[in-house]
Amino acid sequence: LAQVNVCPGGSIPGALPAMGAAVADAYAVLGVQLGSDRAAVRRAYRSLALRCHPDKCAPARRAEAEARFKEIGAAYELLSAAGAAAPPPPRSRPRAPPAAPRGLPERRIWFARGSASVGRAYRGLEGEELARERQEAFDRVAQWLGASDDVVLEVRGYCLNSEVPLKSRDALAKARGEKAVQYFVTKCSLASDAFRTLPGTAGVEFQGVEFVAFTRIDVDGTFQPDALGVDGEVLDDVAQACRGAAAVLEIHHGGNVQLARARLAAVRRSLQDRGVTAVRGRVVRGEVEVARFYVQAAPG
């Protein structure tokens, strides 16, 4: 893309019909109408950057994908300089997370002593009413989750010290979390990517599973090849959406765990610099290298 002269303040001399050919080409590269506003340009750029990222294509087409990725980036930079993507008035575009139905119906669900079974434990020796109440509680959570948009449920299993011998406690806590997710996926037909299973915890005064709901923030951070950081405006949007709530940062990677961890540390620091102090992070194997952000859902 060729350069275009920009007037002070980020505007282009003349009306749209007189715009430089390079600017018109940039709109075409991003697939948006000539003269589209900043929001449309940014949406198109982010969508294309995710879809055309070199790490998402087959090795034989990597060179072609890298050229396309650079072309998309150059078009966005040109339109940014030309004023199409100029910053909006303060607070004109807060990217709040989509509203989930308020009130996770069950934060904790008890399990039978020494058991990781969602169904009736002890080969039928557990009281039928207790087992039915547990399954009904799981079904209420599943119905809530199925009606919620862009919600991820963290699931952690717990085990009392007195339930089983020391060497079996961590395994029982872990199994409870895994069995809970298995029930949601196989019995309630929920997608497996709606859940994150956390390490089990033994020794606390609870035996069962605990749920924490997080809502996905409607912005993703894309990485240039081998780069650690993401667009600062993305992080500004995330900070505004969190507004003091706990956040989860996920770095998706294609196999380079070391790079993903370095990106996790860098993006977390950038969020903390913007006032998001409660940031937990994890690296996740995925098809495309991207940062995804979640904010803890409001309690009921």
Side-chain angles (χ1 to χ4, degrees):
L1 293 169
Q3 285 189 321
V4 60
N5 293 325
V6 180
C7 290
S11 60
I12 300 173
L16 281 176
M19 294 176 70
V23 173
D25 289 345
Y27 281 109
V29 167
L30 296 181
V32 293
Q33 187 175 357
L34 188 68
S36 294
D37 62 16
R38 166 189 176 275
V41 169
R42 289 188 68 194
R43 283 195 301 269
Y45 165 69
R46 288 175 178 169
S47 175
L48 286 171
L50 284 173
R51 192 164 68 247
C52 301
H53 198 286
D55 291 329
K56 198 174 180 181
C57 71
R61 300 188 57 192
R62 187 176 182 87
E64 177 186 350
E66 287 179 349
R68 174 62 173 157
F69 190 75
K70 290 178 182 178
E71 181 184 36
I72 293 166
Y76 179 69
E77 289 178 6
L78 179 58
L79 294 179
S80 297
R91 301 303 185 195
S92 67
R93 185 185 163 270
R95 281 282 194 148
R102 293 182 63 85
L104 182 63
E106 306 288 341
R107 181 172 173 265
R108 283 182 164 183
I109 299 178
W110 284 78
F111 274 59
R113 184 178 177 84
S115 171
S117 176
V118 175
R120 197 173 181 186
Y122 306 126
R123 298 181 182 177
L125 296 180
E126 180 190 23
E128 183 177 351
E129 183 178 352
L130 293 176
R132 184 174 63 251
E133 289 177 354
R134 181 169 55 251
Q135 287 185 310
E136 288 174 351
F138 269 92
D139 291 342
R140 286 193 294 271
V141 173
Q143 290 170 6
W144 179 88
L145 190 60
S148 305
D149 294 327
D150 293 323
V151 171
V152 165
L153 197 67
E154 289 189 342
V155 182
R156 188 191 296 273
Y158 287 86
C159 171
L160 287 174
N161 285 338
S162 59
E163 285 189 81
V164 292
L166 176 62
K167 63 179 182 180
S168 302
R169 291 171 190 166
D170 289 341
L172 176 57
K174 178 183 178 183
R176 283 172 169 164
E178 292 174 345
K179 290 291 187 180
V181 173
Q182 182 181 359
Y183 181 86
F184 285 131
V185 173
T186 61
K187 300 296 185 182
C188 304
S189 301
L190 295 176
S192 59
D193 61 4
F195 303 94
R196 303 290 186 271
T197 306
L198 303 184
T201 300
V204 298
E205 295 302 315
F206 175 62
Q207 60 186 59
V209 290
E210 181 178 74
F211 307 121
V212 180
F214 285 82
T215 305
R216 182 171 170 182
I217 300 172
D218 189 25
V219 289
D220 287 339
T222 57
F223 295 99
Q224 295 291 335
D226 299 325
L228 297 182
V230 298
D231 189 300
E233 291 187 1
V234 170
L235 300 179
D236 291 339
D237 289 342
V238 172
Q240 186 171 347
C242 289
R243 297 174 186 153
V248 170
L249 162 64
E250 287 186 348
I251 303 297
H252 292 242
H253 65 92
N256 190 336
V257 178
Q258 183 177 0
L259 176 59
R261 288 174 176 165
R263 286 171 168 171
L264 177 65
V267 177
R268 176 187 277 156
R269 283 195 301 269
S270 297
L271 286 173
Q272 291 171 340
D273 290 343
R274 288 165 169 80
V276 186
T277 55
V279 184
R280 291 192 291 105
R282 51 184 167 242
V283 296
V284 179
R285 184 66 183 262
E287 295 182 357
V288 61
E289 296 186 350
V290 65
R292 288 183 177 152
F293 308 91
Y294 301 83
V295 59
Q296 187 167 348

